[in-house]
Amino acid sequence: MREYLKGVTVRDLQESDRQKCDGLNFDYLLEDKSKIFEKDELFVIMNKFDYETYGKEKLCDVIFVEHSDVLNEDLLRVDFEQIANDVNFNKPKTVEVEFVKNIDGTNESVFRNVNISDKFYIRQDIAREKYAKWYSAFKRQGKWEDDAPIRANVTFKMGNETEKVSFSNWNSEGVSSKDYNRAFSYKELEKEEFNKDDLDICD
């Protein structure tokens, strides 16, 4: 069980922080108007987008210390998954989809929203790790491209099969191994695509 810190302070990143941020793209962070969260001698930088997305109060409530064996020092971390997976922050939503096609030469499949005919998704399948990522998708110049990743607490439903997106501090939005469903996988749908092609010949 993680122990979250109390008394964390937050302020704007300043030029005087340059030395402590050695190794980071400091000029970009400064221009981005990033924030710095501090507790004693420890700190963590927060970019403007995440700060505005999650909010100061929520972020201050989920900061913890993690020891790095590689660096042999303590680091300040933000438990984003504690916020993102909260059903009060990201309301649960079910999206019914149907399989469209596999994208040749990739591990990606295209799905269509059953209830919104012009809305599509791309699912990236990392089968060996039982992990997948879902993105909104669009077609440009005849090619499918992914757009924004699908947020946590969205469940995709295909017939009787479901697969839920959650958030991980290490992999951001995606389908973890406990929610990974082979019915959505590239290899399983490859068989269905073959069968569809077979049927099309009879049209």
Side-chain angles (χ1 to χ4, degrees), residues 10 17 26 36 52 93 96 107 130 153 166 168 181 197:
V10 57
D17 296 311
F26 186 79
I36 182 166
E52 294 181 347
K93 178 181 178 181
E96 190 173 355
N107 61 341
K130 289 188 176 181
N153 295 335
S166 57
S168 161
N181 187 341
D197 289 343

Side-chain angles (χ1 to χ4, degrees), residues 78-93:
V78 182
D79 195 357
F80 288 107
E81 62 188 46
Q82 184 70 17
I83 306 174
N85 294 327
D86 183 348
V87 296
N88 294 310
F89 182 80
N90 279 321
K91 301 293 185 185
K93 178 181 178 181

Side-chain angles (χ1 to χ4, degrees), residues 78-118:
V78 182
D79 195 357
F80 288 107
E81 62 188 46
Q82 184 70 17
I83 306 174
N85 294 327
D86 183 348
V87 296
N88 294 310
F89 182 80
N90 279 321
K91 301 293 185 185
K93 178 181 178 181
T94 297
V95 178
E96 190 173 355
V97 296
E98 65 179 1
F99 170 63
V100 176
K101 64 170 294 179
N102 284 328
I103 301 176
D104 292 339
T106 72
N107 61 341
E108 300 176 344
S109 303
V110 179
F111 295 83
R112 183 178 71 87
N113 188 316
V114 170
N115 298 307
I116 308 175
S117 61
D118 62 346

Side-chain angles (χ1 to χ4, degrees), residues 56-100:
K56 174 185 174 181
E57 291 184 6
K58 286 186 174 65
L59 291 167
C60 282
D61 285 343
V62 294
I63 293 179
F64 64 101
V65 176
E66 180 179 71
H67 184 75
S68 169
D69 292 331
V70 175
L71 300 175
N72 192 29
E73 62 180 282
D74 290 336
L75 302 172
L76 217 56
R77 299 291 194 193
V78 182
D79 195 357
F80 288 107
E81 62 188 46
Q82 184 70 17
I83 306 174
N85 294 327
D86 183 348
V87 296
N88 294 310
F89 182 80
N90 279 321
K91 301 293 185 185
K93 178 181 178 181
T94 297
V95 178
E96 190 173 355
V97 296
E98 65 179 1
F99 170 63
V100 176

